[in-house]
Amino acid sequence: MCPIRITLTDDHPLVLAGMKALLQDVHDIEIVGEATDGQAALDIIRQATPDIAILDISLPGISGLEVARALATQLPQVRLLALTVHEDHAYVQPMLQAGARGYLLKRSAADELERAVRAIAGGGLYLDPAIAEKALPSAQGAHSSSGASTAGELTPRESEVLRFIAQGFSNKEIANQLSISIKTVETYKARAVEKLGLFTRADIVRYGVALGWLSHSGKSADQVLSGK
């Protein structure tokens, strides 16, 4: 089995050393480059073309967000995992929109870094549970000011229908699973997406990833969205 090839970028030597310590002894993960600023990160990633590039957002010179945008254009096959202290929506959404496949808080790294790497390497997404809500459209000011609801305000049946949709089931399949009509499924779906401010199927899948729903379906987010 080929190892998962990774580059690491952080401007704090202790954090960089900590990431190395967490991953360097994992038998199927290989660290192929390190950097301490944005430009060096781009240079190393271009040279090594890793499977996954792990980097901080706040970097000297070129920011992690600018690195992400450059990679999306130049090396789209390199999957990006943001490892950062920033929990604000203003950081989370731009990184995901720039193509990052994962967003992990540094305080969670000791327990979750390897898991995040494996999720992304397997074609999935990884969102730190602490920032999951900030990855959703409903976290945006426009939705918040209009009174958009949180996940906790969905009814059990609305949540159930949304979970099936995130896992790739059709309305007909959901109706059969729950022994209700297709029209009723559509009603529950409409209520749920309105409460959460989810406007596309990709939004629903991302929401499902954040809550761990796809891990039970055996499919990655890419597979669900492609209908496989």
Side-chain angles (χ1 to χ4, degrees):
M1 180 182 296
C2 296
I4 302 168
R5 302 173 69 255
I6 290 175
T7 57
L8 307 174
T9 303
D10 198 287
D11 61 328
H12 293 91
L14 287 177
V15 174
L16 202 57
M19 286 193 286
K20 288 177 61 177
L22 289 170
L23 298 175
Q24 65 184 0
D25 293 329
V26 181
H27 76 281
D28 60 345
I29 291 177
E30 179 184 1
I31 298 172
V32 297
E34 303 171 32
T36 56
D37 63 69
Q39 184 59 58
L42 277 175
D43 292 342
I44 287 175
I45 292 167
R46 287 167 179 157
Q47 179 181 355
T49 57
D51 300 306
I52 297 174
I54 303 175
L55 79 160
D56 196 358
I57 296 176
S58 299
L59 294 170
I62 302 174
S63 71
L65 179 58
E66 291 174 296
V67 171
R69 288 170 174 163
L71 290 178
T73 301
Q74 300 170 16
L75 293 170
Q77 74 272 26
V78 176
R79 295 166 179 172
L80 177 64
L81 169 60
L83 180 64
T84 179
V85 298
H86 297 298
E87 302 184 34
D88 296 342
H89 174 269
Y91 290 94
V92 178
Q93 276 284 348
M95 284 300 290
L96 296 177
Q97 291 168 355
R101 303 301 300 269
Y103 198 103
L104 176 63
L105 298 178
K106 288 183 178 179
R107 60 184 170 86
S108 304
D111 296 321
E112 297 294 323
L113 183 56
E114 183 181 342
R115 183 179 304 175
V117 166
R118 294 194 185 284
I120 295 170
L125 304 174
Y126 181 91
L127 296 177
D128 193 302
I131 59 89
E133 289 298 323
K134 297 179 178 66
L136 303 175
S138 58
Q140 298 176 14
H143 298 307
S144 298
S145 63
S146 63
S149 302
T150 64
E153 293 172 333
L154 294 181
T155 67
R157 187 45 64 90
E158 289 168 352
S159 181
E160 197 170 20
V161 167
L162 204 63
R163 175 172 59 83
F164 278 122
I165 294 170
Q167 292 176 346
F169 288 86
S170 67
N171 288 350
K172 182 178 180 180
E173 290 170 330
I174 297 169
N176 291 336
Q177 288 276 351
L178 301 179
S179 299
I180 57 179
S181 69
I182 294 176
K183 185 175 181 180
T184 301
V185 170
E186 293 171 346
T187 298
Y188 284 128
K189 175 186 175 182
R191 290 175 182 170
V193 297
E194 181 179 2
K195 286 181 178 181
L196 296 172
L198 306 176
F199 297 105
T200 67
R201 191 170 182 210
D203 290 337
I204 296 174
V205 172
R206 179 177 290 170
Y207 180 77
V209 169
L211 296 185
W213 288 344
L214 269 66
S215 63
H216 301 297
S217 72
K219 294 183 178 181
S220 70
D222 289 341
Q223 288 173 320
V224 172
L225 289 172
S226 65
K228 297 179 179 178

